[in-house]
Amino acid sequence: MGNIILKITALIFGIALWFLVISQKDFQLSVEVPLNFVKLPETMAIASKPPHFLHITVEGKSWDLIRLNDIVKDYKQNSIAMIVDLQQAELGATRIHLGSKNFVAAGFPDVHFVEPENQLLFVDLDIDTRITRNIPIKSAATFNAAQGYLIADEPKITPEELLVSGARNALTRIIDIPTDSIFFDSLVTSEKYNIPLDFSTLPAFVTPSDSTVQISVNIQKMGSKTYRNIPVNLIGFFSRDTFALEPKTLSVEITGGEQALDSITPEHIEIAIEYNRFAIEDADSLPPTVKLSLPAQINREMAIKAIQLKPEKVTLVKMDKKDATPKDSLEEVSP
């Protein structure tokens, strides 16, 4: 047992001695660190696409390298990076040599950058004039109403444009900025949604003024409303004393959003049919045309789903002279 205790003691001292020797020796480690650009004048911007990260080799004590390797695994950290000072930058293309002067490792004074063998580390940049520009926002979000409801208007984006700052030749190539592709289903009420913007297609080093937009969606319950005794107008060149329509009035049933229907009055509805249609189509009875002069706030294509006439057709009838009624001088007469 005495020999075992001595052997364990010797093993512990041996391991301690090995760690002491290892801790005093320099090692090299390959890591990926951020590439950061600082002090660029406000009137300039980077127009090219330099890498966001660089693979470099560093040298230091083992314990320092172990701790440093744990930190650089967090891609959001900037305490260990290659820094490029652009305070003296000029417009145009330039190549910058990266060396130990660019390496920053906060909290690791004994860790140093190792220059690659047989080659130098460079980064190519294109510096351009900085401008600001309003760029249209395009919605990539999808909205679906629940059964029995409808989307009564185009979803409205607020703001419609985004102020963006960056290199001139980069911004002039941007057509629009999309939102994230988000899907909203079974909607039953009007809502305002905050939607993130998708910057994945933007050039590098472009600065947007915001990261979200608000999209308003007008949801209305479906309904139907009947407007009765709407007169039918016979238009064209014909003898007013000879021809007339039967019936002279129709009922109009409109299907659409309930709020849109509430804003429609009989004065918004016009029914008319061309006299010549009866001859062209060789028919005595035809469906007339309905025109809705809707209030400005109603989207005709989206808020109104169907219009039905009752009855669906009108008949052109020839009147006897004894049925003719006097007409005012403004009516058209056949040539």
Side-chain angles (χ1 to χ4, degrees), residues 242-303:
T242 305
F243 295 100
L245 295 174
E246 288 294 340
K248 294 180 174 57
T249 63
L250 299 178
S251 293
V252 181
E253 184 182 70
I254 303 178
T255 301
E258 289 186 345
Q259 296 173 28
L261 296 178
D262 289 341
S263 64
I264 299 175
T265 66
E267 287 71 28
H268 293 122
I269 305 172
E270 297 179 29
I271 306 176
I273 188 167
E274 283 276 355
Y275 168 78
N276 289 337
R277 281 186 58 195
F278 292 96
I280 294 172
E281 300 184 32
D282 191 21
D284 293 330
S285 298
L286 291 172
T289 301
V290 180
K291 178 183 177 182
L292 288 179
S293 302
L294 297 178
Q297 72 272 17
I298 298 179
N299 185 316
R300 169 70 173 81
E301 299 298 323
M302 300 184 69

Side-chain angles (χ1 to χ4, degrees), residues 9 142 177 268 296 304:
T9 303
T142 302
I177 298 176
H268 293 122
I304 305 300

